[in-house]
Amino acid sequence: MIVVVSKLTVPMGATIPMHTHAGDEHAVVITPTTAKAPNGKVLEFPVGATLYFPEGQVHGGLTNIGDGPMVAITTQVVRGDAPLSTPVN
């Protein structure tokens, strides 16, 4: 297993592609933002909001509809012999 810590920045109007990981992902929102889910539901993410996606869970699909970039710090604990993420169609 390896640990990958990164800063995720989603520009206004951009969408995070649907994907999975070969391990768990944790994220902490560091800029307040508003996003639209694939089902059309509008979600508010305040500073400090936390997200958890267990291994293999499909996630993403959020479109940033806020007034600025959506920024989060992500920590992934994943298998080192697998891709960091796998796209889901």
Side-chain angles (χ1 to χ4, degrees), residues 58-81:
V58 176
H59 59 286
L62 295 176
T63 300
N64 178 2
I65 59 171
D67 295 332
M70 178 171 38
V71 183
I73 301 299
T74 66
T75 303
Q76 299 164 335
V77 181
V78 295
R79 292 192 309 273
D81 63 347

Side-chain angles (χ1 to χ4, degrees), residues 1-5 22-24 75-84:
M1 301 298 281
I2 60 171
V3 177
V4 179
V5 178
D24 296 343
T75 303
Q76 299 164 335
V77 181
V78 295
R79 292 192 309 273
D81 63 347
L84 183 59

Side-chain angles (χ1 to χ4, degrees), residues 28-88:
V28 178
V29 175
I30 61 172
T31 60
T33 194
T34 304
K36 185 183 271 189
N39 64 4
K41 184 175 180 180
V42 174
L43 306 168
E44 297 290 333
F45 291 96
V47 170
T50 59
L51 305 162
Y52 168 68
F53 306 103
E55 179 175 0
Q57 180 179 345
V58 176
H59 59 286
L62 295 176
T63 300
N64 178 2
I65 59 171
D67 295 332
M70 178 171 38
V71 183
I73 301 299
T74 66
T75 303
Q76 299 164 335
V77 181
V78 295
R79 292 192 309 273
D81 63 347
L84 183 59
S85 66
T86 301
V88 174

